[in-house]
Amino acid sequence: MLEETNLTIDEMTFFNIFSGKQQHHIYPNGDEVYFVNTIFISKKYSGNIISSNECREIAFFQIQDLPKNITPTNMPVIEILKIVSLFFTNRTRCLGLV
């Protein structure tokens, strides 16, 4: 996280692991991958967001107002976080990598 965003994350809680068909991606150059994403949740971080060369834009968004061009393999994670966030708070934010 620090390398891609300049943020240090504290007090992480395991959320879920996502893999399989929904984590399949084909890059524009034809490279094909299956991601295994281990997701943690945290409300504590330090640092100032700085975009790296691994994404075009990075920012915090309200979970209900994410940009349309989010990486497709992140959508299953986001959809479950939207449902779960209804039970905890209406102020859930996601760090969006576009």
Side-chain angles (χ1 to χ4, degrees), residues 19-96:
S19 64
K21 190 168 88 171
Q22 291 181 323
Q23 297 300 305
H24 177 250
H25 183 73
I26 301 174
Y27 288 97
N29 68 359
D31 287 351
E32 189 170 355
V33 296
Y34 282 89
F35 294 108
V36 176
N37 286 312
T38 304
I39 307 301
F40 293 85
I41 295 175
S42 176
K43 293 183 180 183
K44 288 190 168 193
Y45 64 91
S46 60
N48 296 313
I49 294 177
I50 297 174
S51 186
S52 72
N53 62 354
E54 294 186 27
C55 60
R56 291 180 299 223
E57 179 184 357
I58 185 169
F60 281 106
F61 299 91
Q62 293 299 322
I63 197 162
Q64 300 84 358
D65 298 319
L66 292 168
K68 300 290 183 223
N69 58 344
I70 291 288
T71 305
T73 55
N74 289 334
M75 292 312 297
V77 177
I78 290 166
E79 292 305 317
I80 291 175
L81 283 171
K82 283 181 181 179
I83 293 167
V84 170
S85 72
L86 295 174
F87 295 101
F88 295 103
T89 177
N90 60 359
R91 299 164 75 139
T92 301
R93 298 186 310 164
C94 284
L95 184 64

